[in-house]
Amino acid sequence: MSSRISIARPASNSYTSDPHGLSNSRHSSGYRSADPDAPLEKLQVIAKQIEDYVEIYSQPLKPHLPTIGRFLIVVTFLEDALRILTQWGDQIWYLQNHRHFPWGLSHLFLLINVVTMIIGSGAIISKRYTEFATGGLLAVVIIQGFGYGLIFDLNFFLRNLSVIGGLFMVFSDSMVSRKAVFAGLPSITETDRKKYFLLAGRVLLIFLFLGFIIQGQWSIMRVIVSIVGFGACIMVAVGFKAKWSAAFLVLVLSVFNVFANNWWSIHSAHPQRDFLKYDFFQTLSIVGGLILLVNMGPGGLSVDEKKKNY
């Protein structure tokens, strides 16, 4: 904080200023930048102002951010469960004819997925048994990748890494203390566990944007968005100005999602509609993870946290 230092003057009226001009006639204003007009200094001032605006305007929503974030994270699982139920025959046909699932195993595979996604999503929204719920949804992501043969598809892989990052953010948000299972053995404290899961969640969340950068047709606007967005992703990963960069990515991904994945404008019989719908809800899940990051902050393993100690 900047402050002015005033010098006490004698009560006598005979006081004269320094005849040799050795004293500083200007009052001290505390800490001053070496070069306030330097581009880096100006950038830091702008970043601080943006952070303050984000903090101010997010205050009315702050009590609701955890609920909004949790719902958006699991919305892709709820949509997927609804898709399986409404396209049950098509799903069975695909698994049996293209993935060579035997009759019965294909039905069991889909049933397990639907039940796990519905129960796990409900548990996360209601903040009940969150550890088991996130574990179940994580298992769904993995077995669907193998079951549908998409594990080696780069776009699918990057998107699901981001979904896993969102699940890690949920896990960190509702982490509970555990007592050591065996007395005398070293255990990781709740704070340490939360730091590590927040770090993993931050890093994984950015893979969706990396997938956006390497795929699709290039244009001037796409190049600009990719460069700025990639910078924000790096800031999220290392935890530098994390709340600001996460809020920026929420805005960019939300706008991108509406215009690029507008599945509602495609005819219901068009095969592209399902792909766009899938991408739309997955992007919402990553947005939910970023909203939790805005609410919680980057955690202990971040540049922002380290700066507080210096």
Side-chain angles (χ1 to χ4, degrees), residues 215-236:
Q215 294 191 10
Q217 296 181 347
W218 288 97
S219 63
I220 298 297
M221 182 58 65
R222 186 183 180 89
V223 170
I224 295 173
V225 173
S226 296
I227 293 174
V228 177
F230 182 73
C233 287
I234 297 299
M235 292 169 68
V236 166

Side-chain angles (χ1 to χ4, degrees), residues 92-104 106-107:
I92 294 292
W93 179 87
Y94 176 82
L95 290 175
Q96 292 179 357
N97 290 275
H98 289 272
R99 300 302 300 161
H100 308 294
F101 274 56
W103 191 95
S106 57
H107 297 70

